[in-house]
Amino acid sequence: MSEIIPAIIAKDFNELKEKIKLVERRAKTVQLDVMDGIFVSDKTWPLDSFLDHGSGLAQGKPSVNDLEKLETNLFLEAHLMVDNPHRVLNEWLNSKVGRVILHWEAIEKIHNHEILPYKTQVGAGFPISNLAQEAHRNNKEFGVALNLETPITVLNNFISEIDMVLLMSVKPGQGGQKFEESVIPKIILLRQKYPDVKIGVDGGVNKENILKLAEAGAGFLVVGSAIFADDDPAKALEDFKKII
Ligand code: DX5
């Protein structure tokens, strides 16, 4: 059974709250897209400046703790499109999110001396197991996102230690981009190699390609602008659910 996950790119906490309200009666999970302006060029809440993009009046400095003010039963996942994700991981693990998703392309750059002690993956040379164990110690799920150009073979050393793989179908950093078909063979191969792993697809997912993605083996379909750019996001979500 596949699940549609509305993805929210929010400049500030007010926008985040508004977008959650639009879908929360119809969704189970919502993805918070978090961008730091380094790993990807754009910035979102809570890493954007403290200016309120609406009134221009300074608000309190945004932080992950803003989520404590959120009253929702939704399962929240944070898609951290950030450099050095280990430096912010604990803030997210101590928040209301139930799953954190870090990018392989950011993790592989972590210099070993920055995380001690950690169990190095043989042949991998980076601390995935440390990060995943930290998440599990906090009763959170740990996912790894792979950009389009990253082969699924990078997962070989640690797939058994993580809870989900998010396959990007666009270059991370913006909503509304064109879906890249090259993700489909990756889904099929990943599903063949690891029949039980949770597979998400993120970027350019729409009513034309969603069934093909679900049939290829993606159980979590992340949808941003095809829901939130619609005049009626709740109805758009319902329409997606009817397709799969
Ligand atoms: C990476 C973001 C986007 C977003 C989905 O840029 O992760 O992919 O979630 O955006 P759409 O569905 O508008 O491509």
Side-chain angles (χ1 to χ4, degrees):
M1 179 67 186
S2 297
E3 178 186 351
I4 314 279
I5 301 183
I8 295 176
I9 297 175
K11 274 288 180 213
D12 56 39
F13 187 58
N14 286 336
E15 183 179 1
L16 176 61
K17 279 191 298 188
E18 281 157 23
K19 287 185 171 176
I20 283 181
K21 285 266 166 285
L22 288 172
V23 294
E24 72 176 339
R25 284 200 310 280
R26 317 281 176 124
K28 208 167 113 224
T29 305
V30 157
Q31 181 181 99
L32 312 179
D33 276 322
V34 179
M35 303 180 191
D36 66 354
I38 303 170
F39 183 73
V40 293
S41 55
D42 206 349
K43 274 188 170 184
T44 63
W45 169 89
L47 301 171
D48 202 359
S49 63
F50 59 87
L51 282 182
D52 174 339
H53 289 264
S55 65
L57 295 175
Q59 290 177 327
K61 183 161 170 33
S63 98
V64 183
N65 295 335
D66 292 342
L67 291 178
E68 293 313 306
K69 295 177 273 187
L70 204 54
E71 285 158 27
T72 183
N73 297 323
L74 283 172
F75 181 86
L76 302 176
E77 66 175 23
H79 175 193
L80 301 182
M81 289 168 269
V82 302
D83 219 32
N84 287 313
H86 60 301
R87 292 182 184 160
V88 298
L89 182 62
N90 278 319
E91 289 170 56
W92 291 96
L93 297 183
N94 293 318
S95 76
K96 271 188 173 171
V97 303
R99 184 187 294 135
V100 290
I101 301 170
L102 280 57
H103 268 263
W104 151 264
E105 300 80 10
I107 297 170
E108 67 163 345
K109 286 192 303 184
I110 295 172
H111 300 294
N112 293 349
H113 68 270
E114 288 219 23
I115 291 196
L116 288 174
Y118 61 87
K119 177 163 70 75
T120 308
Q121 292 296 320
V122 173
F126 55 86
I128 285 265
S129 50
N130 173 279
L131 301 173
Q133 285 164 20
E134 191 63 23
H136 296 152
R137 265 196 292 277
N138 287 274
N139 300 315
K140 308 289 183 181
E141 287 192 23
F142 185 83
V144 173
L146 303 186
N147 284 345
L148 279 159
E149 68 280 6
T150 303
I152 63 165
T153 45
V154 304
L155 299 165
N156 293 349
N157 286 308
F158 57 83
I159 188 80
S160 61
E161 301 194 51
I162 67 173
D163 304 289
M164 178 215 228
V165 179
L166 183 66
L167 297 177
M168 297 306 297
S169 34
V170 294
K171 183 173 181 291
Q174 273 177 343
Q177 299 179 76
K178 185 178 166 306
F179 174 80
E180 295 287 344
E181 296 278 340
S182 59
V183 76
I184 293 178
K186 288 174 79 172
I187 303 169
I188 294 169
L189 191 56
L190 187 58
R191 178 55 71 219
Q192 275 169 357
K193 274 185 86 172
Y194 307 107
D196 303 326
V197 72
K198 286 180 183 172
I199 302 175
V201 183
D202 181 353
V205 178
N206 57 39
K207 289 178 183 158
E208 287 67 44
N209 57 36
I210 193 163
L211 188 55
K212 191 166 44 172
L213 294 170
E215 287 168 349
F220 298 82
L221 299 137
V222 177
V223 182
S225 46
I227 287 177
F228 290 106
D230 191 287
D231 295 339
D232 183 346
K235 183 179 177 309
L237 176 51
E238 280 309 310
D239 292 346
F240 270 109
K241 286 155 81 171
K242 285 181 191 134
I243 297 171
I244 57 166

